[in-house]
Amino acid sequence: MKYARLVWVNMTRNKRRTVLTTLSVAAALFLFVSLRSVNTTLADAREVGSESRMVTRHAISIVFYLPESYYQWLVTVPGVRSVSWADWFNGIYRDPRDFFPNFAVEAESYLAMYPEMVIPEDQKRAFLDERTAALVGSGLMERFGWTLGQAIQLRSPIWAPDREWPFTIRAVYTPTNPSFGDALFFFHYDYLYEGTSRRAQPGWYVLEIEDPALAAAVAETIDEHYRNSQAATKTETERAFQTGIVTMYGNVGFLMNAIGLAVFFAILLLAANTMMMAARERTSEVAVLKTLGYSDRLLFALVLAEAASITLIGGLLGVFGAKLAFEGTGFQGLGLLPNFQVKWATATAGMAIALCLGLASGIVPAWQAARLPVAETLRRVG
Amino acid sequence: MALLEIRNLSKVYQRDSQMITVFEGIDLDIEAGEFLVLMGPSGSGKTTLLNLVAGLDKPTAGTISVGAAEVTEMSPRQLAAWRSRHVGFIFQLYNLLPVLTAYQNVELPLLLTHLSKSERREHVMTVLEVVGLSDRADHYPRQLSGGEEQRVAIARAVVSDPTVILADEPTGDLDAKSADEVLTLMQRLNGEFNKTILLVTHDQRAAERGHAVMHLDKGVLTG
Ligand SMILES: Nc1ncnc2c1ncn2[C@@H]1O[C@H](COP(=O)(O)OP(=O)(O)OP(=O)(O)O)[C@@H](O)[C@H]1O
Ligand SMILES: [Mg+2]
């Protein structure tokens, strides 16, 4: 480590250039870690999806509704234990920036199907007994400083946009698995139905089946039954349904990865350029070190160490900056990314990338330093 | 046997299709403890000769040995290791690293040794004392005069106690007084510390400080 100072003084020789390069590496890795964490978080969320719950939605798209009458038949399908339904309410609290996911659900059956939500018994009763009551995740309560019994109002651009929807918070749930999310908001479908002059229809049905092994048969039966009806259906396990949503994000993810890759190469070129310039400026010094007996191998290592130091420092800033930024602020992607976290595997991958960046950007100048012909170089510079 | 033996040394540069013969068939012996001055017109090949002795360049033909080391036979790696222990190089333009202090510059060759930090410190402070700059240890090259820079460079050249010191016009860029100090210092290194020195110079006064003067001209070395 006695050579550390040599590496350090060379790094800090052109401070502005080194700082800029370090910061761009940091930015690139911040981006990488963020994107990757979105993916791992979504993957975790998908795991929450149960194999014994199924979702029946409109065959064309989740944005189309299904008739309420389907319920009557769905409960009769062999293997189906119970049926509930839900709607995406898209309610806005105060300002669109205060976004959180909110759903109108057929509450009694819905709660029975989702033991992931732990609710004190008295609160559950209070919620079920009141038409305008809301069930709110503990994280959401905390986020807005809400209290039990508090009245709040939402507006919904898709459901009766010209009015406010008053709610009273009657129950708070805590998720058994953090990936389920603690920032969701539920209320009664009946309230939605009445509030829209009975125009509301179920967005999707949730079915609990007796045995996950029956899933394929149940799906087949249901979709076949409605094939030629007014609204054909698509039925799949909740996990597959979530995977579908994730795949939707996934395409976005692919795009983001492509952008990430482009940024990565831009940063690589930048870092490589920095190292080239840095190395070119001191060819004569490299030659002098060689006259002192510094071997080609050592000079190669010193240049590489310098490049790697820059990118590793940038990496540390970017990777742990992201970890602290997201975990320190309890970031949840507005509730869409419950339990968002930068996993250690992601952080490690980020640092590995930083190291590779350093080696890749330093290899050419390191090679040049090692190969530098001393006699000619000294002659050239004086 | 002389400390430094040069036998039948030739150096020919090839530039495009043109062959430039710098010198051909040179023989030279330098005894241990000698202070030899090499003079000659510009372009006569003095720097080339020093580079060959230090193993920084390969001869076209001939051999060079320093003590037991066959310089012309060694691999680049062996040469680097050998150079760090046996050669001290002094340049006309000092060639200190501007980002390092005088102390750190002098310490550079010692980083290649197994000496501990405190041992290195001892060596560095000793040679800085010898060149009369122990009070400037923490100064950067730009804070030193040319003569002082050259003395730091000399300290760097001798700190690892090399077998030979090769100096290429070390006073070429100095005023008379600084040049005088540097030359006196080199004489001391030779007389007091018994260093073998090969000094290249254009300066007649510098030449007078050596034990003997050789001339290199048109590829021929004469005594
Ligand atoms: N890489 C090279 N390619 C071709 N010719 C070279 C090369 N290096 C040196 N020479 C030529 O070799 C000759 C000797 O050069 P050298 O630098 O050894 O001379 P010198 O005696 O040190 O001169 P000066 O007193 O000006 O320093 C010169 O004619 C020079 O042009
Ligand atoms: Mg010369």
PDB file of all heavy atoms in Angstrom, chain A residues 235-268:
ATOM      1  N   THR A 235     -59.030 -15.955 -17.330  1.00  0.00           N
ATOM      2  CA  THR A 235     -58.868 -16.368 -15.946  1.00  0.00           C
ATOM      3  C   THR A 235     -57.482 -16.970 -15.765  1.00  0.00           C
ATOM      4  O   THR A 235     -57.032 -17.766 -16.591  1.00  0.00           O
ATOM      5  CB  THR A 235     -59.930 -17.419 -15.578  1.00  0.00           C
ATOM      6  OG1 THR A 235     -61.216 -16.856 -15.856  1.00  0.00           O
ATOM      7  CG2 THR A 235     -59.827 -17.805 -14.111  1.00  0.00           C
ATOM      8  N   GLU A 236     -56.816 -16.542 -14.716  1.00  0.00           N
ATOM      9  CA  GLU A 236     -55.477 -17.081 -14.452  1.00  0.00           C
ATOM     10  C   GLU A 236     -55.216 -16.988 -12.955  1.00  0.00           C
ATOM     11  O   GLU A 236     -55.963 -16.339 -12.224  1.00  0.00           O
ATOM     12  CB  GLU A 236     -54.415 -16.296 -15.231  1.00  0.00           C
ATOM     13  CG  GLU A 236     -54.447 -14.811 -14.952  1.00  0.00           C
ATOM     14  CD  GLU A 236     -53.711 -13.978 -15.995  1.00  0.00           C
ATOM     15  OE1 GLU A 236     -52.937 -14.548 -16.758  1.00  0.00           O
ATOM     16  OE2 GLU A 236     -53.918 -12.756 -16.026  1.00  0.00           O
ATOM     17  N   THR A 237     -54.175 -17.675 -12.517  1.00  0.00           N
ATOM     18  CA  THR A 237     -53.864 -17.593 -11.090  1.00  0.00           C
ATOM     19  C   THR A 237     -53.436 -16.160 -10.778  1.00  0.00           C
ATOM     20  O   THR A 237     -52.970 -15.429 -11.645  1.00  0.00           O
ATOM     21  CB  THR A 237     -52.717 -18.538 -10.685  1.00  0.00           C
ATOM     22  OG1 THR A 237     -51.546 -18.114 -11.357  1.00  0.00           O
ATOM     23  CG2 THR A 237     -53.034 -19.976 -10.996  1.00  0.00           C
ATOM     24  N   GLU A 238     -53.604 -15.800  -9.519  1.00  0.00           N
ATOM     25  CA  GLU A 238     -53.249 -14.440  -9.128  1.00  0.00           C
ATOM     26  C   GLU A 238     -51.783 -14.170  -9.419  1.00  0.00           C
ATOM     27  O   GLU A 238     -51.388 -13.090  -9.838  1.00  0.00           O
ATOM     28  CB  GLU A 238     -53.532 -14.247  -7.638  1.00  0.00           C
ATOM     29  CG  GLU A 238     -53.377 -12.827  -7.185  1.00  0.00           C
ATOM     30  CD  GLU A 238     -53.720 -12.666  -5.719  1.00  0.00           C
ATOM     31  OE1 GLU A 238     -53.031 -13.308  -4.896  1.00  0.00           O
ATOM     32  OE2 GLU A 238     -54.664 -11.943  -5.398  1.00  0.00           O
ATOM     33  N   ARG A 239     -50.976 -15.212  -9.214  1.00  0.00           N
ATOM     34  CA  ARG A 239     -49.548 -15.028  -9.460  1.00  0.00           C
ATOM     35  C   ARG A 239     -49.283 -14.737 -10.927  1.00  0.00           C
ATOM     36  O   ARG A 239     -48.526 -13.840 -11.275  1.00  0.00           O
ATOM     37  CB  ARG A 239     -48.768 -16.257  -9.007  1.00  0.00           C
ATOM     38  CG  ARG A 239     -47.289 -16.044  -9.086  1.00  0.00           C
ATOM     39  CD  ARG A 239     -46.521 -17.138  -8.407  1.00  0.00           C
ATOM     40  NE  ARG A 239     -46.735 -17.137  -6.977  1.00  0.00           N
ATOM     41  CZ  ARG A 239     -46.166 -18.012  -6.150  1.00  0.00           C
ATOM     42  NH1 ARG A 239     -45.374 -18.949  -6.629  1.00  0.00           N
ATOM     43  NH2 ARG A 239     -46.392 -17.960  -4.872  1.00  0.00           N
ATOM     44  N   ALA A 240     -49.967 -15.490 -11.788  1.00  0.00           N
ATOM     45  CA  ALA A 240     -49.798 -15.246 -13.221  1.00  0.00           C
ATOM     46  C   ALA A 240     -50.318 -13.867 -13.582  1.00  0.00           C
ATOM     47  O   ALA A 240     -49.727 -13.144 -14.398  1.00  0.00           O
ATOM     48  CB  ALA A 240     -50.527 -16.322 -14.022  1.00  0.00           C
ATOM     49  N   PHE A 241     -51.424 -13.486 -12.941  1.00  0.00           N
ATOM     50  CA  PHE A 241     -52.017 -12.159 -13.162  1.00  0.00           C
ATOM     51  C   PHE A 241     -51.015 -11.068 -12.790  1.00  0.00           C
ATOM     52  O   PHE A 241     -50.783 -10.125 -13.542  1.00  0.00           O
ATOM     53  CB  PHE A 241     -53.286 -12.071 -12.313  1.00  0.00           C
ATOM     54  CG  PHE A 241     -53.963 -10.735 -12.331  1.00  0.00           C
ATOM     55  CD1 PHE A 241     -54.639 -10.293 -13.469  1.00  0.00           C
ATOM     56  CD2 PHE A 241     -53.967  -9.935 -11.208  1.00  0.00           C
ATOM     57  CE1 PHE A 241     -55.289  -9.069 -13.473  1.00  0.00           C
ATOM     58  CE2 PHE A 241     -54.619  -8.706 -11.212  1.00  0.00           C
ATOM     59  CZ  PHE A 241     -55.279  -8.274 -12.342  1.00  0.00           C
ATOM     60  N   GLN A 242     -50.397 -11.253 -11.629  1.00  0.00           N
ATOM     61  CA  GLN A 242     -49.408 -10.276 -11.184  1.00  0.00           C
ATOM     62  C   GLN A 242     -48.216 -10.280 -12.118  1.00  0.00           C
ATOM     63  O   GLN A 242     -47.632  -9.230 -12.418  1.00  0.00           O
ATOM     64  CB  GLN A 242     -48.929 -10.609  -9.768  1.00  0.00           C
ATOM     65  CG  GLN A 242     -50.075 -10.749  -8.812  1.00  0.00           C
ATOM     66  CD  GLN A 242     -49.986  -9.773  -7.664  1.00  0.00           C
ATOM     67  OE1 GLN A 242     -49.269  -8.803  -7.758  1.00  0.00           O
ATOM     68  NE2 GLN A 242     -50.710 -10.023  -6.602  1.00  0.00           N
ATOM     69  N   THR A 243     -47.846 -11.488 -12.571  1.00  0.00           N
ATOM     70  CA  THR A 243     -46.729 -11.570 -13.507  1.00  0.00           C
ATOM     71  C   THR A 243     -47.045 -10.765 -14.749  1.00  0.00           C
ATOM     72  O   THR A 243     -46.190 -10.084 -15.301  1.00  0.00           O
ATOM     73  CB  THR A 243     -46.449 -13.036 -13.886  1.00  0.00           C
ATOM     74  OG1 THR A 243     -46.333 -13.782 -12.688  1.00  0.00           O
ATOM     75  CG2 THR A 243     -45.183 -13.152 -14.701  1.00  0.00           C
ATOM     76  N   GLY A 244     -48.332 -10.851 -15.172  1.00  0.00           N
ATOM     77  CA  GLY A 244     -48.745 -10.083 -16.336  1.00  0.00           C
ATOM     78  C   GLY A 244     -48.533  -8.605 -16.112  1.00  0.00           C
ATOM     79  O   GLY A 244     -47.975  -7.903 -16.958  1.00  0.00           O
ATOM     80  N   ILE A 245     -48.942  -8.135 -14.938  1.00  0.00           N
ATOM     81  CA  ILE A 245     -48.753  -6.728 -14.623  1.00  0.00           C
ATOM     82  C   ILE A 245     -47.267  -6.400 -14.599  1.00  0.00           C
ATOM     83  O   ILE A 245     -46.814  -5.401 -15.148  1.00  0.00           O
ATOM     84  CB  ILE A 245     -49.413  -6.391 -13.268  1.00  0.00           C
ATOM     85  CG1 ILE A 245     -50.919  -6.543 -13.411  1.00  0.00           C
ATOM     86  CG2 ILE A 245     -49.041  -4.983 -12.838  1.00  0.00           C
ATOM     87  CD1 ILE A 245     -51.681  -6.252 -12.156  1.00  0.00           C
ATOM     88  N   VAL A 246     -46.519  -7.322 -13.977  1.00  0.00           N
ATOM     89  CA  VAL A 246     -45.077  -7.105 -13.884  1.00  0.00           C
ATOM     90  C   VAL A 246     -44.456  -7.103 -15.276  1.00  0.00           C
ATOM     91  O   VAL A 246     -43.564  -6.315 -15.567  1.00  0.00           O
ATOM     92  CB  VAL A 246     -44.424  -8.174 -12.985  1.00  0.00           C
ATOM     93  CG1 VAL A 246     -42.905  -8.090 -13.087  1.00  0.00           C
ATOM     94  CG2 VAL A 246     -44.871  -7.983 -11.549  1.00  0.00           C
ATOM     95  N   THR A 247     -44.979  -7.980 -16.147  1.00  0.00           N
ATOM     96  CA  THR A 247     -44.440  -8.022 -17.502  1.00  0.00           C
ATOM     97  C   THR A 247     -44.702  -6.703 -18.205  1.00  0.00           C
ATOM     98  O   THR A 247     -43.890  -6.203 -18.979  1.00  0.00           O
ATOM     99  CB  THR A 247     -45.071  -9.173 -18.305  1.00  0.00           C
ATOM    100  OG1 THR A 247     -45.091 -10.315 -17.482  1.00  0.00           O
ATOM    101  CG2 THR A 247     -44.265  -9.450 -19.549  1.00  0.00           C
ATOM    102  N   MET A 248     -45.873  -6.125 -17.872  1.00  0.00           N
ATOM    103  CA  MET A 248     -46.176  -4.817 -18.408  1.00  0.00           C
ATOM    104  C   MET A 248     -45.088  -3.824 -17.970  1.00  0.00           C
ATOM    105  O   MET A 248     -44.535  -3.092 -18.761  1.00  0.00           O
ATOM    106  CB  MET A 248     -47.529  -4.368 -17.860  1.00  0.00           C
ATOM    107  CG  MET A 248     -48.391  -3.672 -18.856  1.00  0.00           C
ATOM    108  SD  MET A 248     -50.101  -3.674 -18.261  1.00  0.00           S
ATOM    109  CE  MET A 248     -50.014  -2.530 -16.902  1.00  0.00           C
ATOM    110  N   TYR A 249     -44.784  -3.855 -16.660  1.00  0.00           N
ATOM    111  CA  TYR A 249     -43.671  -3.055 -16.157  1.00  0.00           C
ATOM    112  C   TYR A 249     -42.383  -3.533 -16.802  1.00  0.00           C
ATOM    113  O   TYR A 249     -41.462  -2.790 -17.028  1.00  0.00           O
ATOM    114  CB  TYR A 249     -43.484  -3.248 -14.647  1.00  0.00           C
ATOM    115  CG  TYR A 249     -44.463  -2.558 -13.759  1.00  0.00           C
ATOM    116  CD1 TYR A 249     -45.239  -3.292 -12.882  1.00  0.00           C
ATOM    117  CD2 TYR A 249     -44.550  -1.175 -13.749  1.00  0.00           C
ATOM    118  CE1 TYR A 249     -46.120  -2.671 -12.026  1.00  0.00           C
ATOM    119  CE2 TYR A 249     -45.433  -0.543 -12.894  1.00  0.00           C
ATOM    120  CZ  TYR A 249     -46.228  -1.291 -12.024  1.00  0.00           C
ATOM    121  OH  TYR A 249     -47.063  -0.685 -11.177  1.00  0.00           O
ATOM    122  N   GLY A 250     -42.357  -4.859 -17.008  1.00  0.00           N
ATOM    123  CA  GLY A 250     -41.142  -5.504 -17.499  1.00  0.00           C
ATOM    124  C   GLY A 250     -40.690  -4.930 -18.821  1.00  0.00           C
ATOM    125  O   GLY A 250     -39.499  -4.755 -19.054  1.00  0.00           O
ATOM    126  N   ASN A 251     -41.668  -4.627 -19.692  1.00  0.00           N
ATOM    127  CA  ASN A 251     -41.294  -4.024 -20.966  1.00  0.00           C
ATOM    128  C   ASN A 251     -40.698  -2.656 -20.733  1.00  0.00           C
ATOM    129  O   ASN A 251     -39.737  -2.265 -21.375  1.00  0.00           O
ATOM    130  CB  ASN A 251     -42.514  -3.935 -21.872  1.00  0.00           C
ATOM    131  CG  ASN A 251     -42.923  -5.325 -22.338  1.00  0.00           C
ATOM    132  OD1 ASN A 251     -42.081  -6.209 -22.431  1.00  0.00           O
ATOM    133  ND2 ASN A 251     -44.196  -5.516 -22.589  1.00  0.00           N
ATOM    134  N   VAL A 252     -41.308  -1.971 -19.793  1.00  0.00           N
ATOM    135  CA  VAL A 252     -40.718  -0.707 -19.368  1.00  0.00           C
ATOM    136  C   VAL A 252     -39.315  -0.987 -18.844  1.00  0.00           C
ATOM    137  O   VAL A 252     -38.361  -0.294 -19.166  1.00  0.00           O
ATOM    138  CB  VAL A 252     -41.578  -0.038 -18.281  1.00  0.00           C
ATOM    139  CG1 VAL A 252     -40.906   1.245 -17.818  1.00  0.00           C
ATOM    140  CG2 VAL A 252     -42.977   0.226 -18.802  1.00  0.00           C
ATOM    141  N   GLY A 253     -39.228  -2.070 -18.056  1.00  0.00           N
ATOM    142  CA  GLY A 253     -37.940  -2.448 -17.486  1.00  0.00           C
ATOM    143  C   GLY A 253     -36.908  -2.707 -18.557  1.00  0.00           C
ATOM    144  O   GLY A 253     -35.766  -2.286 -18.439  1.00  0.00           O
ATOM    145  N   PHE A 254     -37.355  -3.351 -19.629  1.00  0.00           N
ATOM    146  CA  PHE A 254     -36.425  -3.635 -20.716  1.00  0.00           C
ATOM    147  C   PHE A 254     -35.913  -2.337 -21.314  1.00  0.00           C
ATOM    148  O   PHE A 254     -34.724  -2.157 -21.545  1.00  0.00           O
ATOM    149  CB  PHE A 254     -37.125  -4.476 -21.780  1.00  0.00           C
ATOM    150  CG  PHE A 254     -36.300  -4.650 -23.018  1.00  0.00           C
ATOM    151  CD1 PHE A 254     -35.227  -5.530 -23.037  1.00  0.00           C
ATOM    152  CD2 PHE A 254     -36.571  -3.900 -24.149  1.00  0.00           C
ATOM    153  CE1 PHE A 254     -34.443  -5.674 -24.162  1.00  0.00           C
ATOM    154  CE2 PHE A 254     -35.793  -4.029 -25.289  1.00  0.00           C
ATOM    155  CZ  PHE A 254     -34.734  -4.913 -25.295  1.00  0.00           C
ATOM    156  N   LEU A 255     -36.862  -1.429 -21.520  1.00  0.00           N
ATOM    157  CA  LEU A 255     -36.505  -0.122 -22.078  1.00  0.00           C
ATOM    158  C   LEU A 255     -35.494   0.565 -21.166  1.00  0.00           C
ATOM    159  O   LEU A 255     -34.480   1.093 -21.606  1.00  0.00           O
ATOM    160  CB  LEU A 255     -37.767   0.724 -22.198  1.00  0.00           C
ATOM    161  CG  LEU A 255     -37.588   2.059 -22.918  1.00  0.00           C
ATOM    162  CD1 LEU A 255     -37.276   1.833 -24.385  1.00  0.00           C
ATOM    163  CD2 LEU A 255     -38.842   2.911 -22.756  1.00  0.00           C
ATOM    164  N   MET A 256     -35.828   0.521 -19.840  1.00  0.00           N
ATOM    165  CA  MET A 256     -34.948   1.182 -18.896  1.00  0.00           C
ATOM    166  C   MET A 256     -33.578   0.524 -18.903  1.00  0.00           C
ATOM    167  O   MET A 256     -32.555   1.183 -18.795  1.00  0.00           O
ATOM    168  CB  MET A 256     -35.561   1.149 -17.494  1.00  0.00           C
ATOM    169  CG  MET A 256     -36.790   2.039 -17.402  1.00  0.00           C
ATOM    170  SD  MET A 256     -37.238   2.454 -15.706  1.00  0.00           S
ATOM    171  CE  MET A 256     -37.838   0.893 -15.112  1.00  0.00           C
ATOM    172  N   ASN A 257     -33.561  -0.798 -19.061  1.00  0.00           N
ATOM    173  CA  ASN A 257     -32.281  -1.499 -19.124  1.00  0.00           C
ATOM    174  C   ASN A 257     -31.479  -1.062 -20.341  1.00  0.00           C
ATOM    175  O   ASN A 257     -30.269  -0.890 -20.280  1.00  0.00           O
ATOM    176  CB  ASN A 257     -32.493  -3.012 -19.166  1.00  0.00           C
ATOM    177  CG  ASN A 257     -32.769  -3.553 -17.781  1.00  0.00           C
ATOM    178  OD1 ASN A 257     -32.470  -2.896 -16.780  1.00  0.00           O
ATOM    179  ND2 ASN A 257     -33.337  -4.735 -17.716  1.00  0.00           N
ATOM    180  N   ALA A 258     -32.206  -0.893 -21.451  1.00  0.00           N
ATOM    181  CA  ALA A 258     -31.531  -0.458 -22.673  1.00  0.00           C
ATOM    182  C   ALA A 258     -30.928   0.925 -22.468  1.00  0.00           C
ATOM    183  O   ALA A 258     -29.779   1.184 -22.821  1.00  0.00           O
ATOM    184  CB  ALA A 258     -32.517  -0.442 -23.841  1.00  0.00           C
ATOM    185  N   ILE A 259     -31.729   1.803 -21.844  1.00  0.00           N
ATOM    186  CA  ILE A 259     -31.213   3.140 -21.551  1.00  0.00           C
ATOM    187  C   ILE A 259     -30.015   3.027 -20.622  1.00  0.00           C
ATOM    188  O   ILE A 259     -28.975   3.645 -20.835  1.00  0.00           O
ATOM    189  CB  ILE A 259     -32.306   4.023 -20.905  1.00  0.00           C
ATOM    190  CG1 ILE A 259     -33.437   4.247 -21.897  1.00  0.00           C
ATOM    191  CG2 ILE A 259     -31.717   5.353 -20.455  1.00  0.00           C
ATOM    192  CD1 ILE A 259     -34.662   4.899 -21.292  1.00  0.00           C
ATOM    193  N   GLY A 260     -30.199   2.167 -19.606  1.00  0.00           N
ATOM    194  CA  GLY A 260     -29.121   1.971 -18.637  1.00  0.00           C
ATOM    195  C   GLY A 260     -27.832   1.530 -19.316  1.00  0.00           C
ATOM    196  O   GLY A 260     -26.748   2.013 -19.011  1.00  0.00           O
ATOM    197  N   LEU A 261     -27.981   0.629 -20.282  1.00  0.00           N
ATOM    198  CA  LEU A 261     -26.814   0.109 -20.993  1.00  0.00           C
ATOM    199  C   LEU A 261     -26.139   1.220 -21.794  1.00  0.00           C
ATOM    200  O   LEU A 261     -24.910   1.337 -21.803  1.00  0.00           O
ATOM    201  CB  LEU A 261     -27.267  -1.021 -21.926  1.00  0.00           C
ATOM    202  CG  LEU A 261     -26.230  -2.083 -22.225  1.00  0.00           C
ATOM    203  CD1 LEU A 261     -25.863  -2.824 -20.946  1.00  0.00           C
ATOM    204  CD2 LEU A 261     -26.761  -3.047 -23.263  1.00  0.00           C
ATOM    205  N   ALA A 262     -26.975   2.028 -22.437  1.00  0.00           N
ATOM    206  CA  ALA A 262     -26.431   3.140 -23.216  1.00  0.00           C
ATOM    207  C   ALA A 262     -25.671   4.092 -22.296  1.00  0.00           C
ATOM    208  O   ALA A 262     -24.555   4.518 -22.600  1.00  0.00           O
ATOM    209  CB  ALA A 262     -27.557   3.873 -23.945  1.00  0.00           C
ATOM    210  N   VAL A 263     -26.298   4.394 -21.161  1.00  0.00           N
ATOM    211  CA  VAL A 263     -25.649   5.286 -20.199  1.00  0.00           C
ATOM    212  C   VAL A 263     -24.341   4.660 -19.738  1.00  0.00           C
ATOM    213  O   VAL A 263     -23.303   5.315 -19.652  1.00  0.00           O
ATOM    214  CB  VAL A 263     -26.572   5.550 -18.992  1.00  0.00           C
ATOM    215  CG1 VAL A 263     -25.795   6.269 -17.888  1.00  0.00           C
ATOM    216  CG2 VAL A 263     -27.771   6.370 -19.417  1.00  0.00           C
ATOM    217  N   PHE A 264     -24.408   3.365 -19.477  1.00  0.00           N
ATOM    218  CA  PHE A 264     -23.226   2.640 -19.010  1.00  0.00           C
ATOM    219  C   PHE A 264     -22.061   2.815 -19.980  1.00  0.00           C
ATOM    220  O   PHE A 264     -20.946   3.142 -19.588  1.00  0.00           O
ATOM    221  CB  PHE A 264     -23.586   1.160 -18.864  1.00  0.00           C
ATOM    222  CG  PHE A 264     -22.455   0.299 -18.409  1.00  0.00           C
ATOM    223  CD1 PHE A 264     -22.147   0.203 -17.064  1.00  0.00           C
ATOM    224  CD2 PHE A 264     -21.700  -0.410 -19.320  1.00  0.00           C
ATOM    225  CE1 PHE A 264     -21.108  -0.586 -16.638  1.00  0.00           C
ATOM    226  CE2 PHE A 264     -20.656  -1.204 -18.906  1.00  0.00           C
ATOM    227  CZ  PHE A 264     -20.362  -1.300 -17.561  1.00  0.00           C
ATOM    228  N   PHE A 265     -22.347   2.663 -21.264  1.00  0.00           N
ATOM    229  CA  PHE A 265     -21.258   2.778 -22.234  1.00  0.00           C
ATOM    230  C   PHE A 265     -20.785   4.216 -22.376  1.00  0.00           C
ATOM    231  O   PHE A 265     -19.594   4.470 -22.564  1.00  0.00           O
ATOM    232  CB  PHE A 265     -21.667   2.174 -23.577  1.00  0.00           C
ATOM    233  CG  PHE A 265     -21.468   0.691 -23.584  1.00  0.00           C
ATOM    234  CD1 PHE A 265     -22.542  -0.174 -23.474  1.00  0.00           C
ATOM    235  CD2 PHE A 265     -20.180   0.157 -23.634  1.00  0.00           C
ATOM    236  CE1 PHE A 265     -22.351  -1.549 -23.429  1.00  0.00           C
ATOM    237  CE2 PHE A 265     -19.982  -1.214 -23.590  1.00  0.00           C
ATOM    238  CZ  PHE A 265     -21.073  -2.069 -23.495  1.00  0.00           C
ATOM    239  N   ALA A 266     -21.732   5.147 -22.240  1.00  0.00           N
ATOM    240  CA  ALA A 266     -21.330   6.555 -22.287  1.00  0.00           C
ATOM    241  C   ALA A 266     -20.366   6.848 -21.143  1.00  0.00           C
ATOM    242  O   ALA A 266     -19.327   7.481 -21.331  1.00  0.00           O
ATOM    243  CB  ALA A 266     -22.562   7.453 -22.199  1.00  0.00           C
ATOM    244  N   ILE A 267     -20.704   6.335 -19.968  1.00  0.00           N
ATOM    245  CA  ILE A 267     -19.861   6.568 -18.799  1.00  0.00           C
ATOM    246  C   ILE A 267     -18.518   5.867 -18.982  1.00  0.00           C
ATOM    247  O   ILE A 267     -17.469   6.381 -18.624  1.00  0.00           O
ATOM    248  CB  ILE A 267     -20.549   6.045 -17.518  1.00  0.00           C
ATOM    249  CG1 ILE A 267     -21.865   6.759 -17.298  1.00  0.00           C
ATOM    250  CG2 ILE A 267     -19.642   6.218 -16.310  1.00  0.00           C
ATOM    251  CD1 ILE A 267     -21.754   8.231 -17.085  1.00  0.00           C
ATOM    252  N   LEU A 268     -18.576   4.676 -19.560  1.00  0.00           N
ATOM    253  CA  LEU A 268     -17.328   3.938 -19.797  1.00  0.00           C
ATOM    254  C   LEU A 268     -16.399   4.760 -20.694  1.00  0.00           C
ATOM    255  O   LEU A 268     -15.215   4.909 -20.406  1.00  0.00           O
ATOM    256  CB  LEU A 268     -17.642   2.583 -20.443  1.00  0.00           C
ATOM    257  CG  LEU A 268     -16.421   1.757 -20.847  1.00  0.00           C
ATOM    258  CD1 LEU A 268     -15.582   1.416 -19.634  1.00  0.00           C
ATOM    259  CD2 LEU A 268     -16.840   0.485 -21.556  1.00  0.00           C
TER     260      LEU A 268
END
